[in-house]
Amino acid sequence: MKKRVLTLVLGAALGGGCIAGALAQVKPEFLVAQRHAAMILQGKYMYSIVPMAMGRIPYDAAIVSRNVGYLDVLSKMPWDGFQPSTADVKETKALPAIYSDPAKFKAAQENYFSELAKLDAAVKTGNEATIKAAILDTNNKGCNGCHNDFRAKSQ
Amino acid sequence: MKKRVLTLVLGAALGGGCIAGALAQVKPEFLVAQRHAAMILQGKYMYSIVPMAMGRIPYDAAIVSRNVGYLDVLSKMPWDGFQPSTADVKETKALPAIYSDPAKFKAAQENYFSELAKLDAAVKTGNEATIKAAILDTNNKGCNGCHNDFRAKSQ
């Protein structure tokens, strides 16, 4: 029961908006778990269409359209979890540059949104080659453009 | 690099559709992590508006509308992760009934979608009391209706 109340309080402090004071009080590990969840799901829906764009698995227009719609929404979810209070959490690949150069981190997010907007526009054309190119651009410039500077490399 | 290729393959097997054969080959812990991510984010956006519906924090119509939109999308994401191959994963609260009574589990999902649809309709009315009641119904009947039967209680 205690845990449930805590969940409600934490939830209120988070998904309820980016109130700096509330976020500063939330357990950093919880913020990391939430932003990580958003990254895991972006991976689920992006890395199922990247192989289509690369010609490694059959192209499925319905799945591409669905996944891009999901990514539009998921792409909005991780950012309020990157609070300075999480800088010392060990179970994350997030690099210190996120907090030391927030303007550059913000620009990388905006770049991702921009690539996603182009992907949305490409999906609307219905042209498979255009869509495939936009999927790869979103992954290479959008996702990886941010990961290169702000996420530790896998061992 | 190996890890990246693996991610692509796993992603292709998952977000690319519910292909039973592909899912059976995916590491069960990975399926659990993905469905858990969808649950964490539903918690983030639901448990920030439940306290508004309960009158414990100020009601914010813009946040409610945004979060309900997010929940509409997130609510579609966990289900393909509940594969029988995950039944033996220890790091989950998912109960065996999910796999022994799939029809009842499916009905619980449908009930959640139905409550969410009512919440969508309530949001469109703009009537705060109606919306608050629908938020509580979605939580009590939709979320908890499934959790009661298919998720282990917290200690």
Side-chain angles (χ1 to χ4, degrees):
Chain A
M1 197 60 182
K2 226 179 210 173
K3 195 168 179 187
R4 181 167 159 68
V5 172
L6 181 69
T7 305
L8 284 170
V9 172
L10 288 171
L14 293 171
C18 301
I19 305 157
L23 284 166
Q25 292 169 36
V26 176
K27 205 177 168 193
E29 287 78 7
F30 196 76
L31 290 170
V32 170
Q34 289 185 322
R35 74 191 194 204
H36 190 212
M39 295 300 182
I40 285 175
L41 290 175
Q42 286 175 95
K44 176 178 180 183
Y45 296 106
M46 174 57 81
Y47 295 130
S48 54
I49 59 175
V50 165
M52 292 185 194
M54 296 169 85
R56 294 189 180 174
I57 61 173
Y59 183 81
D60 185 319
I63 288 175
V64 168
S65 178
R66 183 202 67 172
N67 286 19
V68 171
Y70 285 179
L71 288 166
D72 283 337
V73 177
L74 290 167
S75 64
K76 297 171 184 164
M77 297 183 181
W79 316 113
D80 59 0
F82 289 97
Q83 295 295 319
S85 65
T86 66
D88 295 327
V89 175
K90 284 181 186 164
E91 296 75 19
T92 172
K93 289 183 182 168
L95 292 174
I98 289 169
Y99 312 105
S100 63
D101 195 346
K104 190 176 175 187
F105 184 53
K106 182 80 182 164
Q109 294 165 37
E110 296 295 342
N111 182 57
Y112 173 42
F113 298 149
S114 165
E115 293 299 333
L116 265 181
K118 287 186 224 166
L119 177 51
D120 274 326
V123 168
K124 285 198 182 80
T125 69
N127 182 294
E128 189 175 316
T130 306
I131 298 168
K132 284 180 169 176
I135 291 171
L136 295 179
D137 275 351
T138 304
N139 185 47
N140 295 332
K141 300 180 191 171
C143 304
N144 295 338
C146 195
H147 291 168
N148 287 343
D149 290 327
F150 298 104
R151 189 178 72 165
K153 303 281 178 288
S154 294
Q155 296 301 314
Chain B
M1 196 61 181
K2 227 179 211 174
K3 194 167 180 186
R4 183 168 156 65
V5 173
L6 181 70
T7 305
L8 284 170
V9 172
L10 288 170
L14 294 170
C18 302
I19 305 156
L23 283 167
Q25 293 170 34
V26 176
K27 203 177 170 195
E29 288 77 7
F30 196 75
L31 291 171
V32 170
Q34 289 184 323
R35 74 191 194 204
H36 190 213
M39 294 300 181
I40 286 176
L41 290 175
Q42 286 174 96
K44 176 179 179 182
Y45 296 106
M46 174 57 81
Y47 296 129
S48 54
I49 60 176
V50 165
M52 290 184 195
M54 297 169 85
R56 293 188 180 174
I57 60 173
Y59 183 82
D60 186 317
I63 288 174
V64 167
S65 178
R66 183 202 68 172
N67 285 19
V68 171
Y70 285 179
L71 288 166
D72 283 337
V73 178
L74 291 167
S75 63
K76 297 171 183 164
M77 298 183 181
W79 316 112
D80 59 359
F82 289 96
Q83 295 295 318
S85 65
T86 65
D88 295 328
V89 175
K90 284 180 186 166
E91 296 74 21
T92 171
K93 289 184 182 167
L95 292 174
I98 290 170
Y99 312 106
S100 63
D101 195 348
K104 189 176 175 188
F105 184 51
K106 182 81 180 164
Q109 294 165 38
E110 296 295 341
N111 182 56
Y112 172 42
F113 298 150
S114 164
E115 293 299 334
L116 264 181
K118 288 186 224 166
L119 177 52
D120 274 326
V123 168
K124 285 197 182 82
T125 69
N127 182 293
E128 189 176 315
T130 305
I131 298 167
K132 283 180 170 178
I135 290 171
L136 294 179
D137 274 351
T138 303
N139 184 48
N140 295 333
K141 300 180 191 173
C143 304
N144 296 338
C146 197
H147 291 168
N148 288 343
D149 290 328
F150 298 105
R151 189 178 72 165
K153 303 281 178 289
S154 294
Q155 296 301 313

